[in-house]
Amino acid sequence: MADNPMLKFVDQDQAYPAKRDADLRAADFREIADRYAAPAAEDQASRCSQCGVPYCSVHCPLHNHIPDWLRLTAEGRLREAYELSNSTSTMPEICGRICPQDRLCEGNCVIEFSGHGAVTIGSVEKFITDTAWAEGWVEPVVVGPSRGQSVGVIGAGPAGLSAAEYLRGHGYDVHVYDRHDRAGGLLTYGIPGFKLEKPVVMRRIDRLAAAGIEFHYGFAVGEDATLDELRQRHDSILIATGVYKARQVEVPGNGASGVVAALDYLTASNRKGFGDAVPAFDDGSLDAEGKNVIVIGGGDTAMDCVRTAIRQGATSVKCLYRRDRANMPGSQREVANAEEEGAEFVWLSAPLGFAGDNDTVSQVRASRMRLGAPDASGRRAPEVDPGAELSLEADLVIKALGFDAEDLPTLWGAPELGVSRWGTVLVDGKTLMTSLDGVFAAGDIVRGASLVVWAIRDGRDVAASMHKWLKAKAKAAKVAA
């Protein structure tokens, strides 16, 4: 009997792909680590314990067949591993790069609980699909026979793109509308290249376009067409806009020059990476070079801003967060990466105001905080520590406090579109249809700001629901005829 290639976690130590030296990687926007060489990926995959109840899969929103493709990788059967990985995800190499595995699959790995260190699932997932692209195993989208029905997808982020791929596979004519000049949403303009290099996203977009999905760029619903006009063009509509309205910090000086929103800052940086003309970057407004930068917030967007500012050549970069390290919402790996690259974290601090001359920020006044009783989320709520204040020099303040939904009913001239009190679109929990017949919604615009992997899952689910509804519509039309 051949030796079992698995359960090597006792003999084989956990090893992630080596990161480049912090000083070197902080000088460019390349991803900070290369992928495994094949033997290393096989060795790391062989550490999987093949447990009876795979908590890694249970805690993956896509319920990827993780133990199965780890075993195939360990056996050197990479093409089969890719095909299995690809069967549940439209973007496995993207999830392998940007999912917070420490909070999902790897954080729930059985051997992590036993003290041996989790299987490096995300890095192996990235390796499998990067290999598939390099070897030509990534095949075109298989388009089903034409159904004579069309679907309009509003928003070219991960939820919209995932749904578009599945719907095109069913044979629908798919039109994707996006207000930007490239598809990808936050994958393209929000997430920096050191976490997700843009050719990785663009090759996915190109694959969808090659399948006959039509992209309408620079298209703003409410300006170029109302929602009702799009409903007249298509048999069904999917709302997958995401949430882009920046949350504000209501303190004096909030409107001062030099106080900017995180997404504006990150978008400008990513556009420069594409070689676009970006006046607000070129005039220095959204460029951190030579500046003392303060980032406010503790999520992954804040970490993206911190690490971008370092790469732009900031004089100093500090991150203010109102809780402590243990209670921050962002990835601990990202915090560690930022610290290695030279960022300073000012824990338990919150801004009181932004001061400066001639309405230009030069200083952040902040209050020291302390943790009180747990709030509704279970985390200890921050409260002001009386009499403990600090002042920090700042030439650029980046607000990374999260995102809310825009007022779609007003923007789109669709007052009948049902939304929650937070502005997110209300859907039927089973069908994912909105208050408007034939109009569905998925992703962050339904669940609020969340993870890319959840958006992909929502896109997969809503595509199945729309397919069922469209088949019923076609059948009813045939009977009526």
Side-chain angles (χ1 to χ4, degrees):
M1 179 183 290
D3 290 338
N4 186 346
M6 307 306 291
L7 291 95
K8 302 292 180 64
F9 60 88
V10 175
D11 305 315
Q12 182 74 45
D13 291 336
Q14 180 195 62
Y16 288 93
K19 291 188 289 188
R20 293 185 291 137
D21 181 79
D23 289 338
L24 292 176
R25 70 182 195 241
D28 61 45
F29 281 85
R30 287 177 46 214
E31 291 177 10
I32 69 171
D34 294 323
R35 65 185 179 95
Y36 288 124
E42 293 169 10
D43 288 344
Q44 289 303 306
S46 75
R47 299 181 66 250
C48 176
S49 66
Q50 299 285 287
C51 52
V53 179
Y55 292 112
C56 55
S57 296
V58 171
H59 288 273
C60 170
L62 289 165
H63 300 314
N64 289 332
H65 306 301
I66 296 169
D68 298 321
W69 50 251
L70 285 172
R71 185 182 184 103
L72 289 168
T73 302
E75 293 173 349
R77 298 158 65 185
L78 292 182
R79 185 161 190 169
E80 293 170 81
Y82 159 69
E83 289 170 352
L84 188 58
S85 173
N86 190 63
S87 69
T88 52
S89 175
T90 56
M91 304 177 187
E93 76 280 24
I94 291 176
C95 290
R97 285 168 162 84
I98 64 174
C99 269
Q101 287 94 6
D102 53 336
R103 304 206 305 262
L104 298 172
C105 54
E106 294 179 22
N108 291 280
C109 177
V110 167
I111 65 171
E112 170 77 6
F113 300 153
S114 69
H116 290 89
V119 178
T120 56
I121 296 167
S123 297
V124 174
E125 182 179 37
K126 170 186 171 183
F127 165 80
I128 291 169
T129 310
D130 280 358
T131 300
W133 280 103
E135 296 294 330
W137 301 339
V138 179
E139 298 176 348
V141 177
V142 178
V143 180
S146 176
R147 294 180 174 273
Q149 292 172 291
S150 72
V151 174
V153 177
I154 305 172
L161 294 177
S162 183
E165 179 169 340
Y166 286 114
L167 290 165
R168 186 62 182 143
H170 288 308
Y172 297 104
D173 294 332
V174 180
H175 294 255
V176 179
Y177 300 90
D178 197 275
R179 57 186 164 190
H180 295 294
D181 55 355
R182 294 180 182 89
L186 291 179
L187 299 177
T188 299
Y189 287 129
I191 298 173
F194 52 78
K195 286 172 61 177
L196 178 60
E197 291 179 358
K198 300 313 160 185
V200 174
V201 181
M202 293 301 111
R203 67 189 179 189
R204 283 286 172 189
I205 309 304
D206 292 343
R207 179 172 173 270
L208 297 181
I213 294 173
E214 293 194 35
F215 288 89
H216 304 266
Y217 296 122
F219 191 103
V221 181
E223 297 177 12
D224 297 294
T226 64
L227 178 60
D228 188 60
E229 287 169 341
L230 287 182
R231 294 178 72 193
Q232 299 306 312
R233 295 183 195 178
H234 302 288
D235 294 282
S236 183
I237 295 289
L238 171 61
I239 301 172
T241 57
V243 291
Y244 282 86
K245 181 181 176 183
R247 291 177 185 160
Q248 297 298 321
V249 52
E250 301 299 335
V251 298
N254 187 45
S257 175
V259 179
V260 303
L263 191 54
D264 293 342
Y265 174 69
L266 293 172
T267 299
S269 179
N270 280 311
R271 283 194 176 280
K272 290 300 293 184
F274 278 109
D276 294 352
V278 186
F281 182 94
D282 296 334
D283 69 13
S285 302
L286 296 176
D287 184 1
E289 183 177 6
K291 296 179 180 178
N292 296 298
V293 178
I294 303 289
V295 177
I296 299 170
D300 288 339
T301 299
M303 298 306 100
D304 291 345
C305 292
V306 164
R307 299 179 66 200
T308 295
I310 289 169
R311 283 159 175 78
Q312 290 178 350
T315 299
S316 68
V317 180
K318 294 183 175 66
C319 181
L320 270 61
Y321 182 55
R322 60 183 181 162
R323 290 183 168 94
D324 61 7
R325 184 175 191 140
N327 286 279
M328 71 175 300
S331 166
Q332 292 293 335
R333 291 180 187 174
E334 287 300 294
V335 175
N337 286 332
E339 287 179 326
E340 290 169 5
E341 292 164 4
E344 178 184 344
F345 286 83
V346 186
W347 306 111
L348 291 167
S349 60
L352 291 172
F354 310 127
D357 297 327
N358 301 318
D359 199 32
T360 298
V361 70
S362 61
Q363 184 184 76
V364 173
R365 291 190 305 106
S367 172
R368 288 291 185 186
M369 308 294 286
R370 62 190 182 192
L371 296 179
D375 61 14
S377 71
R379 291 190 298 167
R380 294 174 64 191
E383 56 187 37
V384 174
D385 187 358
E389 293 187 10
L390 65 157
S391 179
L392 301 168
E393 186 178 355
D395 306 302
L396 178 64
V397 176
I398 304 171
K399 298 176 291 184
L401 302 167
F403 305 98
D404 290 320
E406 297 164 288
D407 183 3
L408 297 188
T410 299
L411 289 173
W412 292 359
E416 66 277 17
L417 178 65
V419 297
S420 71
R421 65 176 185 169
W422 300 281
T424 51
V425 175
L426 295 172
V427 297
D428 179 275
K430 184 176 181 181
T431 67
L432 303 180
M433 190 185 292
T434 70
S435 57
L436 302 176
D437 191 48
V439 178
F440 297 77
D444 286 4
I445 193 58
V446 174
R447 64 171 65 244
S450 186
L451 302 175
V452 167
V453 66
W454 273 114
I456 295 171
R457 163 66 184 272
D458 293 345
R460 187 179 75 185
D461 290 349
V462 79
S465 186
M466 293 174 75
H467 179 43
K468 182 178 180 180
W469 185 86
L470 284 161
K471 285 194 297 182
K473 180 179 180 179
K475 183 177 180 179
K478 187 174 181 180
V479 170

